[in-house]
Amino acid sequence: MPKLDKRKYKFDTLCVHAGHDVLETKTISPPIYQSVAYPYESAEYAAKLFRYEIEGHMYGRMDNPTNAIFEERLAALELTDKSLATSSGMSAIFIACLQLMNKGDGFLSPSKIYGGSNKLFSETFPKMGFKAKFISNPENIENWSEAISSETKFLYVETPSNPNLFVADIPALAKLAHENDLPLIVDNTVATPVLQQPVKLGADIIVHSATKYLSGNSTCISGVVAGSSEYIDELREKDYRNVGPALSPFNSWLLLLGMETLSLRMKKHCENTQVFAEFLEDHSKIESVHYPGLKSHPQHELAKKQLSGFSSLLSFVTKGKLLDAVNVIDAFKLIIHTGHLGTTKTLATHPAFTTHQQLTQEERLAIAIPDTMIRMSIGIEDIDDLIEDMDQALSKIG
Ligand SMILES: Cc1ncc(COP(=O)(O)O)c(C=O)c1O
């Protein structure tokens, strides 16, 4: 029973098996290679390995056999040649972009992205001479087209985005990118490959915070970059090796366990969240709800075309003032208040106080994050219990 042939098996089978050769490893659960180095069988073997002429394991900062199983599985699910495991979602985004730029180069991204990515692009990258140009109305492809210049080295989107749930038109952006000989990077954290395979829609490079749905149980900070063999090999040989954002093998193992149930979890996440979003939309204490599965979402039609489900991230704006949103957050009994998403448990956070606290109020408003916005990641619990908890918390709004 050799390694699985990716072309032969369907998605749910690959979630459970891809990358893991049970006979070769003599295990049915992937082995953890908790070792920073690997013996070279001869001087000639070592020389070839270090010249990247043969496949093998060099040193734990560059590669690891447990990580290799995770990398192969993720690449199979994302329809890319290869992938590279990283220590966090942020380090995945950092090296994915770094690989494509030299000092003075730039790229385009919507401003409506995860706060940490926004800060990486607007605070850290300028120190390195990289220029992010933020597109404020990213639904309009013309705005992207007009912003492309000789400095632009790639287009970047996060879709659906955290916490605004903006849905980017991946095929239109891929077309624009390719007409200009540029790659398109997609942060696929929120959708996961279960609901959206950006490569099928034309994207070139995929990044994930694997910390979220891929792991699924809130056990490990982790990330991954997926793309062509040429891109991933060069990344591993240069910037990944030089910067050192390697994933620990134990965390790879946790990810592999999580990914076995990815499809099952995403199905339940989507079912629960649709019911929860509709409950919120009808509630008298709620101003607005953002969820791509609702007809009221501005990109609902696009989301239906691009996604096979709408995932479990939603945000809503309460009626009243900042204190009303704070009272709701503090009243939860079952729902957990924390700055995380994509896990089995239902979580809520107040972006103005937490994830987007690094931005000024003006910057937050510019990306449509009012002080009364609450972001939720709906888990896989019984939906009746979740609605009951939400209902009692909303009763605290004056
Ligand atoms: C869409 C998205 N991308 C990237 C990240 C960063 O991931 P990590 O926390 O694993 O570094 C996050 C974190 O919340 C996120 O939501």
Side-chain angles (χ1 to χ4, degrees):
M1 193 179 166
K3 259 190 191 176
L4 285 202
D5 177 355
K6 284 197 275 190
R7 288 153 308 181
K8 191 165 165 221
Y9 293 99
K10 297 214 168 68
F11 189 91
D12 289 358
T13 308
L14 295 173
C15 280
V16 178
H17 292 282
H20 181 208
D21 188 325
V22 294
L23 287 185
E24 192 186 286
T25 61
K26 297 189 171 43
T27 59
I28 64 159
S29 171
I32 307 172
Y33 286 81
Q34 195 68 41
S35 176
V36 296
Y38 322 102
Y40 312 134
E41 58 199 50
S42 67
E44 193 191 340
Y45 172 91
K48 282 187 179 160
L49 193 61
F50 277 72
R51 286 199 300 266
Y52 295 99
E53 287 170 9
I54 52 170
E55 300 242 324
H57 296 289
M58 200 185 269
Y59 178 61
R61 176 155 42 80
M62 281 76 101
D63 48 66
N64 173 279
T66 310
N67 291 10
I69 301 174
F70 163 67
E71 288 165 349
E72 193 169 331
R73 186 165 304 175
L74 191 280
L77 302 183
E78 282 293 10
L79 307 173
T80 57
D81 297 336
K82 289 189 177 174
S83 84
L84 188 54
T86 62
S87 55
S88 68
M90 287 318 300
S91 59
I93 297 168
F94 177 77
I95 57 157
C97 297
L98 180 65
Q99 159 83 349
L100 300 170
M101 288 188 287
N102 287 311
K103 199 171 172 188
D105 290 338
F107 62 100
L108 310 182
S109 163
S111 44
K112 292 173 185 167
I113 50 173
Y114 166 59
S117 308
N118 189 309
K119 279 290 173 189
L120 171 70
F121 297 169
S122 61
E123 209 168 78
T124 307
F125 277 176
K127 288 195 216 168
M128 305 170 73
F130 302 152
K131 302 172 203 160
K133 212 183 260 179
F134 287 113
I135 309 293
S136 44
N137 289 311
E139 52 283 357
N140 185 348
I141 302 297
E142 268 300 296
N143 290 349
W144 292 79
S145 177
E146 282 162 14
I148 293 177
S149 72
S150 57
E151 285 174 350
T152 313
K153 296 299 169 217
F154 60 91
L155 308 187
Y156 181 96
V157 283
E158 180 185 303
T159 180
S161 72
N162 169 16
N164 311 79
L165 284 310
F166 164 70
V167 177
D169 188 337
I170 300 178
L173 287 170
K175 184 167 174 281
L176 177 69
H178 298 158
E179 279 165 4
N180 289 277
D181 281 331
L182 303 171
L184 172 66
I185 304 184
V186 173
D187 182 334
N188 201 28
T189 299
V190 173
T192 79
V194 177
L195 307 177
Q196 169 176 276
Q197 290 171 304
V199 165
K200 260 195 198 161
L201 301 167
D204 305 282
I205 297 163
I206 316 301
V207 290
H208 275 277
S209 167
T211 314
K212 310 293 181 333
Y213 299 96
L214 294 181
S215 104
N217 295 301
S218 310
T219 51
C220 59
I221 295 286
S222 49
V224 65
V225 185
S228 67
S229 297
E230 198 188 356
Y231 171 80
I232 296 293
D233 286 348
E234 196 180 334
L235 189 52
R236 193 189 295 278
E237 287 167 29
K238 293 183 180 161
D239 289 331
Y240 183 75
R241 181 177 173 168
N242 300 345
V243 176
L247 181 65
S248 94
F250 182 69
N251 284 351
S252 262
W253 181 76
L254 290 171
L255 282 167
L256 285 163
L257 292 192
M259 284 160 80
E260 290 187 6
T261 57
L262 183 62
S263 280
L264 287 175
R265 284 186 283 110
M266 291 315 290
K267 190 165 176 278
K268 178 77 170 162
H269 277 303
C270 293
E271 279 168 18
N272 271 359
T273 313
Q274 188 68 34
V275 176
F276 200 86
E278 286 169 11
F279 160 78
L280 285 176
E281 199 167 44
D282 288 343
H283 202 285
S284 60
K285 301 281 176 69
I286 299 289
E287 188 78 48
S288 57
V289 185
H290 307 284
Y291 182 59
L294 292 175
K295 287 200 184 87
S296 57
H297 187 282
Q299 287 113 15
H300 178 62
E301 289 307 315
L302 174 64
K304 276 204 297 191
K305 269 199 252 160
Q306 248 173 227
L307 294 148
S308 61
F310 306 105
S311 196
S312 80
L313 189 66
L314 65 80
S315 59
F316 62 90
V317 178
T318 65
K319 287 194 172 150
K321 299 207 168 65
L322 174 88
L323 202 57
D324 291 296
V326 170
N327 286 341
V328 171
I329 283 276
D330 282 343
F332 289 136
K333 294 184 175 137
L334 172 66
I335 295 166
I336 303 168
H337 177 200
T338 188
H340 179 39
L341 65 96
T343 189
T344 48
K345 299 181 172 93
T346 296
L347 315 176
T349 186
H350 183 202
F353 271 21
T354 57
T355 50
H356 288 68
Q357 177 252 113
Q358 296 154 288
L359 308 184
T360 63
Q361 191 194 39
E362 205 181 17
E363 283 171 332
R364 282 196 299 271
L365 283 175
I367 55 169
I369 301 183
D371 286 348
T372 47
M373 177 185 270
I374 291 177
R375 184 197 74 182
M376 294 197 65
S377 170
I378 308 301
I380 60 172
E381 302 98 328
D382 190 292
I383 187 65
D384 294 343
D385 291 333
L386 297 176
I387 286 183
E388 192 182 311
D389 196 32
M390 190 71 208
D391 202 29
Q392 66 77 25
L394 288 174
S395 71
K396 309 291 179 221
I397 297 179

